[in-house]
Amino acid sequence: MKLVHTIADLRDALRPHDSPALVATMGNLHAGHLALVKTAKPLGDVTVASIFVNRLQFAPHEDFDTYPRTLEADCEKLQAAGCDVVFAPSEREMYPEPQGFKVHPPAELADILEGHFRPGFFTGVCTVVMKLFQCVFSEAKGRRTAMFGLKDYQQQLIMRRMVKQFALPIDIVGAPTERAADGLALSSRNMYLSEAERAEAVQLSLALRGLARDALAAADGLERQLPGLEQRAMQALAARGWQPDYLSVRRREDLQPPKPGDALVVLGAARLGKTRLIDNLEV
């Protein structure tokens, strides 16, 4: 496995290959990231993992400065997972000058749910991913693949739309959410949880499952009943000491309010103590 820190060295490492498969991360890797790497391996002739904590997607009050940087441990995990190239650039390498050009996703997709509570988040994500795509795929001659975990459902949907609208020859592949034995979605931020909070944290996924059951039971009355179902799910979580941002049932294809017969996804984000957790469930 090669570890490179510059765009020039990355392109040199990839030049002998035709079909890169990319897993973009911010490091502090867990089994979910490694599952993406393993899924990516048969989809190309070289598997690339990027590790970069992207300032552009953090609000001033968020955890950019304290987000764990664990490059040595991450590289050991990636090598064991069969990764071929790790791209771990510095901030100066990725942004040698202020990033004035940015990718602004459409408001109807990016300013709802996660984007409503984290203004500008998806602009930061789209901008860094577009730049990573240029770094990794610019000289590729064959299939180009980028892996995204479905835990961040809204993010992977935005990535698909971005690739489509910019006519980028890149396949976006979504991988199922990896979960702990009790059902908690794996996340790099789970390490912030205290022992008691970790035991409680599974309640978010349980709340989403309950909301999904209620939405399916509503059948043709879904549009009328949904606001009350969502409100009750949030109130129940708040009663356990959480601070929920949203628990919402949406149409899978575009995250708009659903109609009877639509394929559904249930999404949620809530703060437990100082840790904000997200999860989703396709119905």
Side-chain angles (χ1 to χ4, degrees):
M1 187 182 76
K2 294 182 180 178
L3 171 62
V4 297
H5 298 285
T6 69
I7 296 170
D9 286 346
L10 172 66
R11 288 175 172 159
D12 285 345
L14 297 181
R15 198 160 286 124
H17 305 279
D18 293 328
S19 301
L22 170 66
V23 178
T25 84
M26 293 202 303
N28 194 29
L29 303 183
H30 53 68
H33 296 112
L34 304 180
L36 292 176
V37 172
K38 293 172 183 176
T39 303
K41 268 200 86 62
L43 302 181
D45 61 359
V46 60
T47 306
V48 185
S50 64
I51 297 177
F52 179 66
V53 184
N54 176 41
R55 185 186 296 271
L56 295 186
Q57 69 195 64
F58 287 79
H61 67 279
E62 293 181 331
D63 57 343
F64 174 79
D65 290 327
T66 59
Y67 193 89
R69 274 76 165 175
T70 55
L71 180 60
E72 184 176 351
D74 290 342
C75 286
E76 291 176 1
K77 294 175 183 177
L78 288 168
Q79 186 163 18
C83 185
D84 299 306
V85 178
V86 176
F87 177 46
S90 66
E91 191 168 23
R92 181 177 293 276
E93 179 69 16
M94 284 297 285
Y95 302 125
E97 59 186 63
Q99 189 68 31
F101 289 90
K102 296 179 181 177
V103 180
H104 293 268
E108 66 270 17
L109 187 57
D111 290 355
I112 60 174
L113 301 170
E114 197 67 7
H116 175 77
F117 288 94
R118 301 182 69 186
F121 171 71
F122 286 118
T123 294
V125 171
C126 288
T127 300
V128 75
V129 170
M130 180 68 85
K131 199 157 191 175
L132 287 169
F133 284 173
Q134 303 309 315
C135 296
V136 172
F137 298 125
S138 61
E139 298 181 22
K141 305 175 186 68
R143 181 182 181 184
R144 304 160 175 87
T145 304
M147 301 292 307
F148 289 91
L150 291 177
K151 181 178 78 71
D152 300 299
Y153 188 91
Q154 186 175 7
Q155 175 176 280
Q156 63 82 31
L157 187 58
I158 289 171
M159 293 300 106
R160 293 180 190 278
R161 294 290 182 87
M162 182 177 78
V163 163
K164 181 180 179 181
Q165 287 204 2
F166 281 106
L168 301 177
I170 300 168
D171 294 331
I172 303 296
V173 177
T177 303
E178 293 287 320
R179 297 184 180 276
D182 64 353
L184 176 67
L186 299 187
S187 168
S188 296
R189 289 186 169 94
N190 288 353
M191 64 174 293
Y192 296 155
L193 297 168
S194 69
E195 184 176 351
E197 289 169 344
R198 172 61 187 84
E200 171 67 20
V202 70
Q203 293 298 324
L204 176 59
S205 64
L206 294 177
L208 294 179
R209 291 181 185 278
L211 180 55
R213 286 194 299 270
D214 291 344
L216 291 175
D220 290 343
L222 179 62
E223 290 179 86
R224 175 175 50 83
Q225 296 181 41
L226 188 56
L229 295 177
E230 292 176 343
Q231 184 178 20
R232 285 195 293 274
M234 291 183 65
Q235 289 172 341
L237 205 57
R240 299 185 64 93
W242 293 69
Q243 296 173 281
D245 285 340
Y246 59 88
L247 274 75
S248 186
V249 180
R250 296 297 176 105
R251 187 164 56 206
R252 279 191 213 172
E253 65 179 73
D254 57 8
L255 297 183
Q256 296 306 301
K259 298 182 182 301
D262 286 341
L264 306 178
V265 60
V266 186
L267 308 101
R271 189 173 297 278
L272 182 60
K274 295 182 179 179
T275 306
R276 188 173 184 273
L277 303 176
I278 69 169
D279 199 354
N280 71 78
L281 176 68
E282 292 184 68
V283 181

